[in-house]
Amino acid sequence: MCRLKNWIPILLGITAYLIIVGPNIIYPLNIAWLGDGELLQHYLGWAFFRNSPWTFPVGLNPKYGMEFSNAIVFTDSIPLFAIFFKFFNEILPVGFQYFGIWVLMCFILQAWFANKLLALVTDITVLQSLGTILFLFAPPMLFRIGYHSALMGHFLILAALFLNLRKNQQSQSLYWSILLVLSGLCHFYLFVIVFALFSANFMTRIFILKTLNLQSALLNAIALAGLLWLIFWQAGYLSIKGTFVSAGGFGDFRTNLLALLNSRSWSYWLKPINLGDPVEQAVGEGFQFLGTGVIFLWVCAIPVLYKSKVRAWSVVKTQPFLLIVLTILALLSFSNNIGIGAWNIKFSLPQYLIDYFSLVRSSARLFWPIFYLFIFLAAFLVIRGYSRKIATGIFLIAVLVQIIDTSAGWLPIRKKLSSTFSRQIPGPLKDPFWVMAGMRYKNVVMVENPANWGVFGVFAAQYGMATNMVHLARKDDAKLLENLMRINQELLQLSSSFDTLYIFRDWKEDPRQVNFDPKKDLFARIDGFNILAPAWKSCKECKLLNQGLEIQNLAPILILSQPIIFSSKGDGREKYMLEGWGYTEGWGTWATDTNAKLIFPVPAGNPKAVEFEANAFLTSSHPKLDLEILGNGLSLGQVSLTETSKNTFTIPLPRGLSAGNTLTLEIRSINAVSPKSQGIGDDVRNLGIGLVAIRFIK
């Protein structure tokens, strides 16, 4: 009977997994569900790690980032699994992923340790099982499934709470050592939480239970510190300088004081609470919704607090250190940017404290142990405050309400995961060139501020290439700069590496002249990406592409006196406008910032000036728009527009410009006003110059 009882939480975990997630992601060759966002970062970290040679420390990931690569821990790829499965890399199929296995394991172990916690309160199987379901349908854990699966390991927090609350404190040092090592090999934030709860229990054993004397405690602390340092070193936490230096951002990702009651679309019955902080509104880091079922459980539990037969506050005497640690975690979670629904109160802290606290800048995560204690305490009060029959009824209602109501949040996740089943991650690289390039080149790099990490990460991983287009939690900026300097030096000296495929940004983002040998090298725009493939044309195995794809330079070619059109009928917006402009309309484009910028390649023919055709937003109380034009940082002249349309004016070009040079124009609309300020409609944009067309003229 006892053995059968042990299977109940396992079966509950599997059942919850199948209901919430479905069976698709457990298939190790289904990688389509990992195709974007944080999940793609996790998968790519593993994909590069498995194809890199073994290193020392073992967690290093040299192909992912090249010279500034670091380790598997900084892609949140669950190092515990990554290192284990790398041992079997030779027999694992291409595209193998273990993240679905991890998610299933999280459900099973969440149920197991929730059941262990509830067993501290009752030995009634039905109450343990119903309470376990509430832990399985905890929205903050489920929210991470399709977003950040490495942080689904909430079972580690439940295990740490169990080690704190269990009466039998035998073998605590062994259990804590295992738990701390596992959490460190899963995710840094989980380790921080588990370590905080370990510290509470460590102090409790010394000063309250007195099961550890000071000498034994010191020896245990030294041994554990050595073990953790070894694990952190081998996992790669120390692979970059300043690993534990602040990354900034403390207070941006914090817990709102009303977060436990804020459904944020995870309830059919409870409306979301409005939030005033745009960061909090945009991201889910502060999501701590208890669920309507747990809230119902609390409604039933509150009267029990007033009954003398339940001494809820006796825990203060037996667990003072746990309460202190939980208070500290809660305060860090709330941060110095206190949110109460839509209201925010921010108070200043010394910069050194902000830097220190920013080690856990997503401090909302530190609230998770308090979140689970809220569920545990509600269950404890109901179990101890009501008869078995009534408590069972309350739990049954709470479970049904929790499952049904939270489906508002988890059903869309299930739908998304069930609709993606493929051994390929779809992407924009469709041309046959990429297949040939993947087999020919060893590296694929971007020459300036690596972007498109998802597209080219998938491409590089598919062909076993190395790349500097990566997404890392932390990186060594000095090494990144060295990497980019080396790449640019190769291109400058016409010594591009024959085993490297180069990717360039769009011209507006990275205006440059590219040095290459047009007889040997392929310089082309393929599937929307600018590429330089060294020695492609001299390669016998490489097929020549449609010559229409080849380009001579990144910059578009301008012709003297040819109008550049900035209406929806032209391509001026796409090719030449930088920041400061509104959306393009049928006639042209408004400048919506005081400073609006454009960038152009200077055409051949020795142009001496730029001719503008422009509109202006004018009214009887605002009859003139004053402009200042700057070119490459130098003032070129001032103009006043007095007509609402068909204004034309000419500005001389800076001296010394020749064909192929870059000209950056900055248009300052000095006294721009909004239509709303003039009593016309609700448009609050300050409308500066309305650009219709530009010509380079002699």
Side-chain angles (χ1 to χ4, degrees), residues 306-433:
Y306 297 98
K307 294 182 180 181
S308 59
K309 60 182 179 182
V310 176
R311 299 179 180 178
W313 303 112
S314 62
V315 70
V316 175
K317 296 180 180 179
T318 58
Q319 294 285 357
F321 294 106
L322 179 60
L323 291 177
I324 291 171
V325 164
L326 292 175
T327 301
I328 293 172
L329 290 176
L331 292 175
L332 287 172
S333 177
F334 299 142
S335 81
N336 64 321
N337 185 19
I338 307 297
I340 309 172
W343 292 278
N344 293 280
I345 305 170
K346 190 168 185 177
F347 59 90
S348 60
L349 289 174
Q351 187 58 45
Y352 73 90
L353 281 180
I354 295 293
D355 291 342
Y356 182 76
F357 292 154
S358 290
L359 291 172
V360 285
R361 63 175 180 170
S362 296
S363 62
R365 300 168 185 177
L366 304 183
F367 192 79
W368 290 338
I370 298 101
F371 172 88
Y372 285 113
L373 277 177
F374 266 93
I375 301 178
F376 177 74
L377 183 57
F380 169 81
L381 292 171
V382 169
I383 290 170
R384 294 295 177 87
Y386 293 93
S387 66
R388 174 177 176 175
K389 185 176 181 180
I390 294 176
T392 301
I394 291 172
F395 267 90
L396 186 59
I397 294 172
V399 165
L400 290 174
V401 170
Q402 186 82 354
I403 293 174
I404 294 171
D405 198 37
T406 58
S407 68
W410 56 258
L411 273 178
I413 295 175
R414 177 189 172 89
K415 182 179 180 181
K416 178 182 177 181
L417 298 180
S418 299
S419 63
T420 52
F421 192 93
S422 173
R423 297 183 63 168
Q424 300 290 330
I425 294 177
L429 306 183
K430 308 296 185 183
D431 196 279
F433 164 81

Side-chain angles (χ1 to χ4, degrees), residues 408-515:
W410 56 258
L411 273 178
I413 295 175
R414 177 189 172 89
K415 182 179 180 181
K416 178 182 177 181
L417 298 180
S418 299
S419 63
T420 52
F421 192 93
S422 173
R423 297 183 63 168
Q424 300 290 330
I425 294 177
L429 306 183
K430 308 296 185 183
D431 196 279
F433 164 81
W434 302 107
V435 177
M436 295 182 284
M439 293 186 291
R440 171 170 172 72
Y441 296 104
K442 294 182 179 179
N443 311 306
V444 54
V445 301
M446 182 163 272
V447 302
E448 183 72 25
N449 294 326
N452 296 302
W453 63 270
V455 172
F456 288 101
V458 172
F459 169 66
Q462 183 177 1
Y463 293 99
M465 306 165 77
T467 183
N468 72 342
M469 288 176 275
V470 299
H471 184 41
L472 297 165
R474 303 228 175 171
K475 60 182 181 294
D476 189 324
D477 290 329
K479 288 186 176 180
L480 170 59
L481 183 59
E482 289 177 10
N483 172 264
L484 296 177
M485 289 177 63
R486 177 188 62 77
I487 292 170
N488 281 279
Q489 191 68 21
E490 289 175 357
L491 295 171
L492 185 65
Q493 296 177 353
L494 281 173
S495 59
S496 53
S497 177
F498 291 155
D499 62 1
T500 300
L501 177 67
Y502 298 87
I503 309 296
F504 299 84
R505 288 177 180 268
D506 287 340
W507 175 79
K508 287 195 304 182
E509 300 169 336
D510 184 21
R512 64 166 65 207
Q513 297 283 347
V514 178
N515 295 315

Side-chain angles (χ1 to χ4, degrees), residues 8-57:
I8 292 177
I10 297 174
L11 293 174
L12 287 174
I14 295 172
T15 302
Y17 168 85
L18 292 173
I19 291 173
I20 297 167
V21 182
N24 277 9
I25 70 172
I26 194 66
Y27 180 55
L29 298 183
N30 176 21
I31 61 173
W33 67 283
L34 299 165
D36 55 37
E38 301 286 346
L39 294 178
L40 182 57
Q41 178 197 27
H42 309 337
Y43 171 72
L44 289 178
W46 151 246
F48 281 88
F49 180 69
R50 66 174 292 187
N51 290 320
S52 296
W54 281 104
T55 58
F56 191 82

